[in-house]
Amino acid sequence: MAVGRDLVQAQSARFAALDPLLPPAADPPEGQVLTAALPDGRRVAGVVVRQHYGRTALASLWSAEETWELTPLLGGSGGTGMSALLSAWRQWLDRVADPGGDSACVVTWPSRDAEATRALLDHGLVPLSAVAVRRAVPGPDLPPPATVTVRRAAPADLDTVLRLAMAELEYSALVGPTVVRPNAVSLKRAALRERLVSGGLVWLAEQDGIAVGLAECALTSSEPGSWTSGRLPLGRWGYVNCLSVLPAARGTGVGQQLMALVHHELSRLGVVGTYLYYNPPNPLSSVFWLRQGYRPLWTVWEVRPAGALR
Ligand SMILES: CC(C)(COP(=O)(O)OP(=O)(O)OC[C@H]1O[C@@H](n2cnc3c(N)ncnc32)[C@H](O)[C@@H]1OP(=O)(O)O)[C@@H](O)C(=O)NCCC(=O)NCCS
């Protein structure tokens, strides 16, 4: 997109000043280009991409069915630029889109950009998710967990893993973007079966032989040019896709013991750090993850339905 090169460079400089862990701003995706003029004559731009997640899409469990995602190109303009672009987006939606009820406007933006936060809140968006990161800290061997036994899950554990994953889904649907779709169990079952059959990094925490905790993880590489390199510093990362403790066992140290072992194992696999999505309105995980050494890098702002954008 020709309009964006200078904006991308200025945006990279602003990101670097905001947060040393942010990678340089990525080139925008292909999509509908929006522009807006600022009072001082500068221009900002953004690219809107529409997605539709049908019944069979796993992403329908954490996304509205129809989304419009905006990638802002604000250069160095901060809150003023974000506000002008969001106003242009509102006008564009009025002209071209007729969002249904199961729809969302989505913007992912550096968590530490407080000026942009003001503009996003003023336009009706809410911080439903955050990408949080933790640098790997290789250390001596861990003492074994005190009150649980942790082991890798196998394909024969599918029903147990599914039950724990559904407990997380149901809780997260109360406090974030997750939606318990009518076919949630079958979508989850298929995804988890594949993870287990392919030897995925899935751990169970057990008490007296009963599974009470689940950590479902993966490895991912942030390489130049990849989608991940626009989100994370370069290197091999561990990804925590799901952490779940059964309701009766929560708050007794299961999650902490499980994650201590998972961090240790992922560190042994040579990761530079681990990352995950959590929901800032989740009163359990928002506290838990910060205490395990994570901190927000990106915030995913949403307004549902999309027509409620101001
Ligand atoms: C978030 C979640 C995974 C955390 O796991 P957990 O096992 O409940 O967390 P822990 O018990 O290890 O830690 C929580 C608190 O219990 C405390 N705790 C630790 N050991 C304890 C013990 N032996 N007895 C009592 N409390 C204990 C911890 O210190 C911590 O409190 P603090 O931060 O105030 O110190 C769990 O609450 C959960 O499954 N929530 C619902 C689903 C969810 O939100 N998943 C995460 C999605 S990102």
mmCIF file of all heavy atoms in Angstrom, residues 147 167-168 171-172 175 243-246 249-257 276-279 282 284-285 287-289 291-292, ligand 1:
data_model
loop_
_atom_site.group_PDB
_atom_site.id
_atom_site.type_symbol
_atom_site.label_atom_id
_atom_site.label_comp_id
_atom_site.label_asym_id
_atom_site.label_seq_id
_atom_site.Cartn_x
_atom_site.Cartn_y
_atom_site.Cartn_z
ATOM 1 N N THR A 147 1.480 -30.377 45.523
ATOM 2 C CA THR A 147 0.166 -30.989 45.810
ATOM 3 C C THR A 147 -0.457 -31.670 44.598
ATOM 4 O O THR A 147 -1.571 -32.169 44.673
ATOM 5 C CB THR A 147 -0.831 -29.906 46.316
ATOM 6 O OG1 THR A 147 -1.052 -28.943 45.270
ATOM 7 C CG2 THR A 147 -0.310 -29.201 47.556
ATOM 8 N N ALA A 167 -14.416 -26.408 30.641
ATOM 9 C CA ALA A 167 -14.559 -25.614 31.879
ATOM 10 C C ALA A 167 -13.952 -24.227 31.677
ATOM 11 O O ALA A 167 -14.495 -23.209 32.129
ATOM 12 C CB ALA A 167 -13.892 -26.335 33.046
ATOM 13 N N GLU A 168 -12.816 -24.190 30.968
ATOM 14 C CA GLU A 168 -12.186 -22.884 30.687
ATOM 15 C C GLU A 168 -13.055 -22.060 29.736
ATOM 16 O O GLU A 168 -13.288 -20.868 29.953
ATOM 17 C CB GLU A 168 -10.787 -23.117 30.084
ATOM 18 C CG GLU A 168 -9.967 -21.842 29.890
ATOM 19 C CD GLU A 168 -10.187 -21.174 28.550
ATOM 20 O OE1 GLU A 168 -10.530 -21.857 27.571
ATOM 21 O OE2 GLU A 168 -10.060 -19.946 28.474
ATOM 22 N N TYR A 171 -16.086 -20.578 31.527
ATOM 23 C CA TYR A 171 -15.753 -19.444 32.396
ATOM 24 C C TYR A 171 -15.384 -18.223 31.553
ATOM 25 O O TYR A 171 -15.849 -17.102 31.815
ATOM 26 C CB TYR A 171 -14.604 -19.812 33.355
ATOM 27 C CG TYR A 171 -14.398 -18.724 34.384
ATOM 28 C CD1 TYR A 171 -15.159 -18.702 35.548
ATOM 29 C CD2 TYR A 171 -13.498 -17.694 34.165
ATOM 30 C CE1 TYR A 171 -15.019 -17.682 36.481
ATOM 31 C CE2 TYR A 171 -13.340 -16.668 35.081
ATOM 32 C CZ TYR A 171 -14.100 -16.663 36.238
ATOM 33 O OH TYR A 171 -13.964 -15.649 37.145
ATOM 34 N N SER A 172 -14.571 -18.453 30.525
ATOM 35 C CA SER A 172 -14.103 -17.326 29.701
ATOM 36 C C SER A 172 -15.247 -16.647 28.968
ATOM 37 O O SER A 172 -15.184 -15.445 28.684
ATOM 38 C CB SER A 172 -13.041 -17.794 28.703
ATOM 39 O OG SER A 172 -11.873 -18.173 29.409
ATOM 40 N N VAL A 175 -16.511 -13.650 30.794
ATOM 41 C CA VAL A 175 -15.613 -12.520 31.091
ATOM 42 C C VAL A 175 -14.782 -12.068 29.883
ATOM 43 O O VAL A 175 -13.777 -11.389 30.058
ATOM 44 C CB VAL A 175 -14.650 -12.902 32.246
ATOM 45 C CG1 VAL A 175 -15.402 -13.048 33.562
ATOM 46 C CG2 VAL A 175 -13.875 -14.171 31.923
ATOM 47 N N LEU A 243 -5.226 -22.677 29.730
ATOM 48 C CA LEU A 243 -4.941 -23.151 31.091
ATOM 49 C C LEU A 243 -6.272 -23.238 31.810
ATOM 50 O O LEU A 243 -7.049 -22.273 31.821
ATOM 51 C CB LEU A 243 -4.007 -22.196 31.836
ATOM 52 C CG LEU A 243 -3.716 -22.654 33.272
ATOM 53 C CD1 LEU A 243 -2.835 -23.898 33.297
ATOM 54 C CD2 LEU A 243 -3.064 -21.550 34.092
ATOM 55 N N SER A 244 -6.547 -24.391 32.388
ATOM 56 C CA SER A 244 -7.837 -24.581 33.051
ATOM 57 C C SER A 244 -7.659 -25.402 34.315
ATOM 58 O O SER A 244 -6.951 -26.410 34.319
ATOM 59 C CB SER A 244 -8.792 -25.328 32.101
ATOM 60 O OG SER A 244 -10.013 -25.581 32.741
ATOM 61 N N VAL A 245 -8.286 -24.948 35.385
ATOM 62 C CA VAL A 245 -8.333 -25.715 36.634
ATOM 63 C C VAL A 245 -9.814 -25.912 36.956
ATOM 64 O O VAL A 245 -10.613 -24.964 36.832
ATOM 65 C CB VAL A 245 -7.588 -24.963 37.767
ATOM 66 C CG1 VAL A 245 -7.781 -25.663 39.110
ATOM 67 C CG2 VAL A 245 -6.109 -24.840 37.434
ATOM 68 N N LEU A 246 -10.194 -27.120 37.328
ATOM 69 C CA LEU A 246 -11.615 -27.373 37.614
ATOM 70 C C LEU A 246 -12.088 -26.467 38.749
ATOM 71 O O LEU A 246 -11.320 -26.179 39.682
ATOM 72 C CB LEU A 246 -11.830 -28.838 37.995
ATOM 73 C CG LEU A 246 -11.731 -29.854 36.854
ATOM 74 C CD1 LEU A 246 -12.034 -31.269 37.360
ATOM 75 C CD2 LEU A 246 -12.653 -29.500 35.683
ATOM 76 N N ALA A 249 -11.123 -26.891 42.425
ATOM 77 C CA ALA A 249 -9.687 -26.906 42.771
ATOM 78 C C ALA A 249 -9.025 -25.548 42.579
ATOM 79 O O ALA A 249 -7.827 -25.398 42.851
ATOM 80 C CB ALA A 249 -8.976 -27.960 41.925
ATOM 81 N N ARG A 250 -9.771 -24.541 42.120
ATOM 82 C CA ARG A 250 -9.159 -23.240 41.857
ATOM 83 C C ARG A 250 -8.713 -22.557 43.157
ATOM 84 O O ARG A 250 -9.330 -22.752 44.205
ATOM 85 C CB ARG A 250 -10.149 -22.320 41.106
ATOM 86 C CG ARG A 250 -10.330 -22.764 39.667
ATOM 87 C CD ARG A 250 -11.373 -21.957 38.907
ATOM 88 N NE ARG A 250 -11.696 -22.673 37.671
ATOM 89 C CZ ARG A 250 -12.808 -22.502 36.944
ATOM 90 N NH1 ARG A 250 -13.696 -21.608 37.306
ATOM 91 N NH2 ARG A 250 -13.003 -23.216 35.854
ATOM 92 N N GLY A 251 -7.642 -21.771 43.050
ATOM 93 C CA GLY A 251 -7.170 -21.007 44.211
ATOM 94 C C GLY A 251 -6.415 -21.844 45.222
ATOM 95 O O GLY A 251 -6.168 -21.394 46.344
ATOM 96 N N THR A 252 -6.014 -23.061 44.832
ATOM 97 C CA THR A 252 -5.262 -23.909 45.772
ATOM 98 C C THR A 252 -3.851 -24.190 45.262
ATOM 99 O O THR A 252 -3.174 -25.093 45.747
ATOM 100 C CB THR A 252 -5.987 -25.248 46.025
ATOM 101 O OG1 THR A 252 -6.059 -25.964 44.789
ATOM 102 C CG2 THR A 252 -7.387 -25.027 46.574
ATOM 103 N N GLY A 253 -3.417 -23.466 44.263
ATOM 104 C CA GLY A 253 -2.040 -23.607 43.794
ATOM 105 C C GLY A 253 -1.851 -24.547 42.616
ATOM 106 O O GLY A 253 -0.714 -24.741 42.167
ATOM 107 N N VAL A 254 -2.923 -25.142 42.080
ATOM 108 C CA VAL A 254 -2.776 -26.084 40.965
ATOM 109 C C VAL A 254 -2.213 -25.367 39.733
ATOM 110 O O VAL A 254 -1.243 -25.822 39.106
ATOM 111 C CB VAL A 254 -4.135 -26.754 40.613
ATOM 112 C CG1 VAL A 254 -3.999 -27.613 39.358
ATOM 113 C CG2 VAL A 254 -4.652 -27.567 41.786
ATOM 114 N N GLY A 255 -2.843 -24.228 39.378
ATOM 115 C CA GLY A 255 -2.402 -23.500 38.189
ATOM 116 C C GLY A 255 -0.949 -23.060 38.308
ATOM 117 O O GLY A 255 -0.173 -23.184 37.351
ATOM 118 N N GLN A 256 -0.571 -22.577 39.460
ATOM 119 C CA GLN A 256 0.810 -22.099 39.660
ATOM 120 C C GLN A 256 1.814 -23.254 39.501
ATOM 121 O O GLN A 256 2.830 -23.114 38.825
ATOM 122 C CB GLN A 256 0.906 -21.442 41.047
ATOM 123 C CG GLN A 256 2.206 -20.747 41.334
ATOM 124 C CD GLN A 256 3.234 -21.719 41.895
ATOM 125 O OE1 GLN A 256 2.885 -22.654 42.614
ATOM 126 N NE2 GLN A 256 4.482 -21.499 41.541
ATOM 127 N N GLN A 257 1.508 -24.413 40.119
ATOM 128 C CA GLN A 257 2.430 -25.555 40.037
ATOM 129 C C GLN A 257 2.530 -26.080 38.601
ATOM 130 O O GLN A 257 3.609 -26.433 38.116
ATOM 131 C CB GLN A 257 1.963 -26.670 40.969
ATOM 132 C CG GLN A 257 2.056 -26.306 42.441
ATOM 133 C CD GLN A 257 1.424 -27.384 43.321
ATOM 134 O OE1 GLN A 257 1.904 -28.513 43.391
ATOM 135 N NE2 GLN A 257 0.321 -27.043 43.972
ATOM 136 N N LEU A 276 0.623 -15.587 25.551
ATOM 137 C CA LEU A 276 -0.739 -16.106 25.646
ATOM 138 C C LEU A 276 -1.723 -14.951 25.503
ATOM 139 O O LEU A 276 -1.345 -13.781 25.551
ATOM 140 C CB LEU A 276 -0.943 -16.818 26.995
ATOM 141 C CG LEU A 276 -0.519 -16.054 28.249
ATOM 142 C CD1 LEU A 276 -1.591 -15.109 28.741
ATOM 143 C CD2 LEU A 276 -0.164 -17.037 29.359
ATOM 144 N N TYR A 277 -2.974 -15.312 25.296
ATOM 145 C CA TYR A 277 -4.064 -14.331 25.329
ATOM 146 C C TYR A 277 -4.782 -14.490 26.663
ATOM 147 O O TYR A 277 -5.060 -15.619 27.085
ATOM 148 C CB TYR A 277 -5.084 -14.580 24.220
ATOM 149 C CG TYR A 277 -4.610 -14.211 22.843
ATOM 150 C CD1 TYR A 277 -3.796 -15.063 22.113
ATOM 151 C CD2 TYR A 277 -4.982 -13.007 22.259
ATOM 152 C CE1 TYR A 277 -3.358 -14.726 20.841
ATOM 153 C CE2 TYR A 277 -4.548 -12.657 20.986
ATOM 154 C CZ TYR A 277 -3.740 -13.527 20.290
ATOM 155 O OH TYR A 277 -3.307 -13.173 19.023
ATOM 156 N N TYR A 278 -5.064 -13.392 27.332
ATOM 157 C CA TYR A 278 -5.956 -13.464 28.491
ATOM 158 C C TYR A 278 -6.969 -12.334 28.374
ATOM 159 O O TYR A 278 -6.803 -11.421 27.551
ATOM 160 C CB TYR A 278 -5.173 -13.399 29.820
ATOM 161 C CG TYR A 278 -4.686 -12.032 30.190
ATOM 162 C CD1 TYR A 278 -5.441 -11.202 31.030
ATOM 163 C CD2 TYR A 278 -3.475 -11.546 29.725
ATOM 164 C CE1 TYR A 278 -4.996 -9.923 31.368
ATOM 165 C CE2 TYR A 278 -3.031 -10.280 30.059
ATOM 166 C CZ TYR A 278 -3.794 -9.479 30.873
ATOM 167 O OH TYR A 278 -3.358 -8.219 31.196
ATOM 168 N N ASN A 279 -8.008 -12.408 29.165
ATOM 169 C CA ASN A 279 -9.072 -11.401 29.093
ATOM 170 C C ASN A 279 -8.948 -10.465 30.286
ATOM 171 O O ASN A 279 -9.147 -10.900 31.427
ATOM 172 C CB ASN A 279 -10.456 -12.070 29.105
ATOM 173 C CG ASN A 279 -10.598 -13.131 28.036
ATOM 174 O OD1 ASN A 279 -11.080 -14.239 28.295
ATOM 175 N ND2 ASN A 279 -10.166 -12.835 26.831
ATOM 176 N N ASN A 282 -11.298 -10.839 33.121
ATOM 177 C CA ASN A 282 -11.321 -12.115 33.868
ATOM 178 C C ASN A 282 -10.645 -11.883 35.232
ATOM 179 O O ASN A 282 -9.438 -11.649 35.304
ATOM 180 C CB ASN A 282 -10.576 -13.189 33.065
ATOM 181 C CG ASN A 282 -10.571 -14.557 33.754
ATOM 182 O OD1 ASN A 282 -10.651 -14.641 34.977
ATOM 183 N ND2 ASN A 282 -10.466 -15.612 32.978
ATOM 184 N N LEU A 284 -9.889 -13.855 37.608
ATOM 185 C CA LEU A 284 -8.935 -14.895 38.027
ATOM 186 C C LEU A 284 -7.653 -14.808 37.199
ATOM 187 O O LEU A 284 -6.558 -14.676 37.726
ATOM 188 C CB LEU A 284 -9.561 -16.288 37.869
ATOM 189 C CG LEU A 284 -10.863 -16.529 38.632
ATOM 190 C CD1 LEU A 284 -11.386 -17.936 38.358
ATOM 191 C CD2 LEU A 284 -10.649 -16.338 40.123
ATOM 192 N N SER A 285 -7.798 -14.882 35.866
ATOM 193 C CA SER A 285 -6.593 -14.981 35.040
ATOM 194 C C SER A 285 -5.824 -13.666 34.972
ATOM 195 O O SER A 285 -4.598 -13.668 34.859
ATOM 196 C CB SER A 285 -6.945 -15.475 33.637
ATOM 197 O OG SER A 285 -7.649 -14.482 32.926
ATOM 198 N N VAL A 287 -5.162 -11.580 37.252
ATOM 199 C CA VAL A 287 -4.246 -11.517 38.396
ATOM 200 C C VAL A 287 -3.223 -12.650 38.299
ATOM 201 O O VAL A 287 -2.019 -12.457 38.465
ATOM 202 C CB VAL A 287 -5.035 -11.640 39.718
ATOM 203 C CG1 VAL A 287 -4.095 -11.568 40.911
ATOM 204 C CG2 VAL A 287 -6.092 -10.550 39.795
ATOM 205 N N PHE A 288 -3.741 -13.844 37.979
ATOM 206 C CA PHE A 288 -2.892 -15.038 37.948
ATOM 207 C C PHE A 288 -1.696 -14.842 37.005
ATOM 208 O O PHE A 288 -0.551 -15.076 37.393
ATOM 209 C CB PHE A 288 -3.732 -16.246 37.514
ATOM 210 C CG PHE A 288 -2.939 -17.513 37.364
ATOM 211 C CD1 PHE A 288 -2.641 -18.288 38.480
ATOM 212 C CD2 PHE A 288 -2.467 -17.919 36.130
ATOM 213 C CE1 PHE A 288 -1.886 -19.448 38.349
ATOM 214 C CE2 PHE A 288 -1.722 -19.071 35.990
ATOM 215 C CZ PHE A 288 -1.431 -19.845 37.104
ATOM 216 N N TRP A 289 -1.959 -14.402 35.752
ATOM 217 C CA TRP A 289 -0.864 -14.350 34.780
ATOM 218 C C TRP A 289 0.191 -13.318 35.166
ATOM 219 O O TRP A 289 1.385 -13.548 34.988
ATOM 220 C CB TRP A 289 -1.409 -14.079 33.374
ATOM 221 C CG TRP A 289 -2.132 -15.272 32.806
ATOM 222 C CD1 TRP A 289 -3.412 -15.310 32.384
ATOM 223 C CD2 TRP A 289 -1.607 -16.595 32.622
ATOM 224 N NE1 TRP A 289 -3.736 -16.586 31.958
ATOM 225 C CE2 TRP A 289 -2.649 -17.385 32.088
ATOM 226 C CE3 TRP A 289 -0.370 -17.207 32.860
ATOM 227 C CZ2 TRP A 289 -2.492 -18.744 31.784
ATOM 228 C CZ3 TRP A 289 -0.210 -18.549 32.560
ATOM 229 C CH2 TRP A 289 -1.245 -19.305 32.033
ATOM 230 N N ARG A 291 1.072 -12.548 38.082
ATOM 231 C CA ARG A 291 1.879 -13.141 39.163
ATOM 232 C C ARG A 291 2.801 -14.250 38.666
ATOM 233 O O ARG A 291 3.780 -14.588 39.336
ATOM 234 C CB ARG A 291 0.975 -13.641 40.290
ATOM 235 C CG ARG A 291 0.300 -12.486 41.031
ATOM 236 C CD ARG A 291 -0.575 -12.988 42.134
ATOM 237 N NE ARG A 291 0.183 -13.419 43.288
ATOM 238 C CZ ARG A 291 0.450 -12.657 44.340
ATOM 239 N NH1 ARG A 291 0.003 -11.415 44.377
ATOM 240 N NH2 ARG A 291 1.119 -13.123 45.349
ATOM 241 N N GLN A 292 2.495 -14.799 37.487
ATOM 242 C CA GLN A 292 3.395 -15.815 36.914
ATOM 243 C C GLN A 292 4.458 -15.166 36.011
ATOM 244 O O GLN A 292 5.163 -15.854 35.274
ATOM 245 C CB GLN A 292 2.621 -16.867 36.091
ATOM 246 C CG GLN A 292 1.406 -17.492 36.758
ATOM 247 C CD GLN A 292 1.658 -17.919 38.185
ATOM 248 O OE1 GLN A 292 2.663 -18.587 38.477
ATOM 249 N NE2 GLN A 292 0.752 -17.549 39.081
HETATM 250 C C1 LIG B 1 -6.873 -18.902 36.147
HETATM 251 C C2 LIG B 1 -6.666 -20.290 36.733
HETATM 252 C C3 LIG B 1 -6.125 -21.203 35.649
HETATM 253 C C4 LIG B 1 -5.623 -20.156 37.867
HETATM 254 O O1 LIG B 1 -5.389 -21.417 38.407
HETATM 255 P P1 LIG B 1 -5.564 -21.670 39.992
HETATM 256 O O2 LIG B 1 -5.155 -23.051 40.252
HETATM 257 O O3 LIG B 1 -6.920 -21.242 40.413
HETATM 258 O O4 LIG B 1 -4.470 -20.626 40.520
HETATM 259 P P2 LIG B 1 -3.542 -20.834 41.802
HETATM 260 O O5 LIG B 1 -4.320 -21.433 42.903
HETATM 261 O O6 LIG B 1 -2.300 -21.525 41.392
HETATM 262 O O7 LIG B 1 -3.228 -19.382 42.124
HETATM 263 C C5 LIG B 1 -4.301 -18.547 42.428
HETATM 264 C C6 LIG B 1 -4.181 -18.079 43.844
HETATM 265 O O8 LIG B 1 -4.183 -19.130 44.806
HETATM 266 C C7 LIG B 1 -3.063 -18.964 45.702
HETATM 267 N N1 LIG B 1 -2.571 -20.239 46.194
HETATM 268 C C8 LIG B 1 -1.478 -20.864 45.780
HETATM 269 N N2 LIG B 1 -1.305 -21.983 46.493
HETATM 270 C C9 LIG B 1 -2.323 -22.052 47.354
HETATM 271 C C10 LIG B 1 -2.698 -22.970 48.342
HETATM 272 N N3 LIG B 1 -1.971 -24.069 48.615
HETATM 273 N N4 LIG B 1 -3.846 -22.733 49.012
HETATM 274 C C11 LIG B 1 -4.592 -21.607 48.772
HETATM 275 N N5 LIG B 1 -4.246 -20.705 47.837
HETATM 276 C C12 LIG B 1 -3.140 -20.925 47.142
HETATM 277 C C13 LIG B 1 -2.055 -18.307 44.826
HETATM 278 O O9 LIG B 1 -1.091 -17.689 45.651
HETATM 279 C C14 LIG B 1 -2.892 -17.348 44.066
HETATM 280 O O10 LIG B 1 -3.273 -16.277 44.862
HETATM 281 P P3 LIG B 1 -2.424 -14.988 44.897
HETATM 282 O O11 LIG B 1 -2.121 -14.630 43.468
HETATM 283 O O12 LIG B 1 -3.307 -14.003 45.544
HETATM 284 O O13 LIG B 1 -1.206 -15.347 45.633
HETATM 285 C C15 LIG B 1 -7.966 -20.885 37.320
HETATM 286 O O14 LIG B 1 -8.482 -20.022 38.279
HETATM 287 C C16 LIG B 1 -9.041 -21.159 36.264
HETATM 288 O O15 LIG B 1 -9.094 -22.237 35.690
HETATM 289 N N6 LIG B 1 -9.914 -20.164 36.008
HETATM 290 C C17 LIG B 1 -11.018 -20.317 35.049
HETATM 291 C C18 LIG B 1 -10.537 -20.470 33.635
HETATM 292 C C19 LIG B 1 -9.534 -19.399 33.262
HETATM 293 O O16 LIG B 1 -9.736 -18.242 33.582
HETATM 294 N N7 LIG B 1 -8.456 -19.811 32.597
HETATM 295 C C20 LIG B 1 -7.415 -18.921 32.154
HETATM 296 C C21 LIG B 1 -7.758 -18.379 30.820
HETATM 297 S S1 LIG B 1 -6.484 -17.288 30.232
#
